[in-house]
Amino acid sequence: TYLRLKSVEIGYNIPEKIVSKAKIQNLRIFINGFNLYTFANEYAKNLDPEREEGAYTADLTYPLMRSFNFGINLNF
């Protein structure tokens, strides 16, 4: 009844002939995201389908935190 996009990472390695001029062996840039989207019907839209059933009745639910990161991997 739902489809979840949990994590995605997109990266790019800069070609060696470009980075070798700066005496760098490898340069990679990337961006990733976690808990990006849940496709569900309206009833389950605000719920976490992976949470145990009893947790909803105790008012112990928190929304899923969506996060994005970016970075650079650099080798000399």
Side-chain angles (χ1 to χ4, degrees):
T1 61
Y2 74 98
L3 176 68
R4 176 168 285 165
L5 183 58
K6 283 284 250 196
S7 65
V8 172
E9 180 168 318
I10 298 172
Y12 180 71
N13 289 326
I14 307 297
E16 188 175 341
K17 46 182 151 168
I18 294 173
V19 297
S20 65
K21 295 174 186 176
K23 298 183 180 180
I24 298 172
Q25 291 180 353
N26 187 16
L27 176 62
R28 180 175 185 265
I29 55 174
F30 65 91
I31 184 169
N32 58 31
F34 299 99
N35 294 324
L36 296 175
Y37 196 76
T38 300
F39 301 92
N41 62 19
E42 285 301 316
Y43 173 73
K45 195 77 162 166
N46 296 323
L47 302 175
D48 181 4
E50 295 178 1
R51 184 175 291 275
E52 293 181 29
E53 187 175 329
Y56 288 110
T57 59
D59 276 342
L60 299 174
T61 59
Y62 295 98
L64 289 175
M65 183 183 297
R66 183 179 301 153
S67 64
F68 296 94
N69 303 301
F70 67 93
I72 297 173
N73 292 337
L74 181 64
N75 296 327
F76 290 99

